Every structure is written in C-alpha cells, then in structure tokens.
Amino acid sequence: MYKCENNYIENTENLKILQTLNSIDLPWKYNSLENFLFHQIIIDGKVISYFSDLLEPFTFKIKNKIQHANYIMVQKNTETKPILENKNSFKEDNSIKAYYFVNTSNGHITINLYDKVNFLQNSVLLFDNQLTNKIFTPTDCNQFLIEIMYLK
C-alpha cells in the first residue's frame, strides 16, 4: 500500500527547506556507490544534525516518532537511470517510509518496480517500508528529497 499527498506542508515552509538545501551552509556527504548526496538528520530516533528544525512541519503531520531521516540530493544526469534502490534494508515490519519532494523535476520513484511516481514539488509519497522502491535520476535539474521513516 502507498499513497501520494499534494500540498503536504505550507508553501512558505517548502521554500525555507529548498533555500536551506540549496545553501552552501548545509554539509553534504557523497554516496559513491549509489551516486547521490545526503545529509543525515535522525538515526535510530536520535537527532544528529543542526539542520533538524526543517523537519518541524513533518513532525506535526506524522505524529509518531521519527526513527530515521535524511536530506537527499539526486543530481541531474544526462539520462534517467536508477541510483538508489531500497529493498527494506532496515527490516522493520511496522514502519512507514515517506519521501517528501522539495522541488519538481522529471525524475521519479518506482514502487514494487511497476508503479511510477513523479517528483512533484511539495508532495509526499508514503508507503510501507516492506515495499521495494527505486529512485531514478532527473535530467532537467537536481532533485531534493527528504526521506523519513517512522513507526506505524
């Protein structure tokens, strides 16, 4: 099961997030195996980043304690290709994963290899963590995502 929700947070909050993720102040780490940038915010329920305040609008909507959260930058490429595949690496049967799309691009995510969800600004994709998902690179601009995992 999965669902998409548009206009997930206030547009002013979305703009604040986009500006912060685009700023030179946010330190990014490079995942050379999957070819994307990330910034860890919460690991095992513990906040580890000074940039965690950007998650405030999500904590009001989710209500449950966030277990893991990352900011992700999927860099534009000359062709659309898969870069990040999640085959339930956390093995938590009772968790939900959310991908919040900070901006719009022509990249997308597939759920269970069949269903394609386009990156649309200020929308969220929520699904059971047991579902396989794969992120595909955009060709028009960098894509910013917020990945959140929380218990049901």
Side-chain angles (χ1 to χ4, degrees), residues 18-151:
L18 184 58
Q19 289 171 338
T20 302
L21 297 184
N22 265 317
S23 77
I24 61 171
D25 297 329
L26 183 72
W28 292 97
K29 293 180 182 177
Y30 180 65
N31 181 324
S32 59
L33 295 176
E34 300 280 353
N35 196 28
F36 69 93
L37 299 168
F38 68 99
H39 179 89
Q40 295 176 309
I41 312 155
I42 298 173
I43 298 176
D44 295 328
K46 296 178 182 144
V47 175
I48 62 165
S49 171
Y50 291 113
F51 293 89
S52 63
D53 61 317
L54 297 177
L55 290 180
E56 280 184 28
F58 303 97
T59 58
F60 291 121
K61 298 213 47 144
I62 291 173
K63 306 276 191 255
N64 296 4
K65 183 175 176 150
I66 296 173
Q67 298 299 310
H68 300 280
N70 296 300
Y71 302 134
I72 297 173
M73 182 197 310
V74 180
Q75 295 176 300
K76 76 176 183 175
N77 201 333
T78 55
E79 62 183 352
T80 299
K81 65 178 188 173
I83 61 149
L84 180 62
E85 184 171 5
N86 179 5
K87 294 182 179 178
N88 188 21
S89 60
F90 293 104
K91 303 291 184 206
E92 294 179 5
D93 296 338
N94 61 342
S95 61
I96 297 291
K97 181 169 278 189
Y99 280 116
Y100 175 75
F101 310 138
V102 180
N103 60 309
T104 298
S105 75
N106 62 0
H108 65 276
I109 293 179
T110 58
I111 303 291
N112 284 340
L113 306 175
Y114 301 109
D115 294 328
K116 177 180 167 182
V117 179
N118 294 322
F119 295 140
L120 180 63
Q121 183 172 346
N122 198 9
S123 62
V124 70
L125 171 64
L126 301 157
F127 56 94
D128 189 303
N129 192 44
Q130 298 298 310
L131 297 179
T132 299
N133 62 92
K134 194 180 293 188
I135 296 176
F136 288 80
T137 59
T139 60
D140 57 346
C141 64
N142 293 336
Q143 177 63 48
F144 293 103
L145 306 167
I146 299 177
E147 177 188 47
I148 299 171
M149 194 170 69
Y150 60 94
L151 299 177

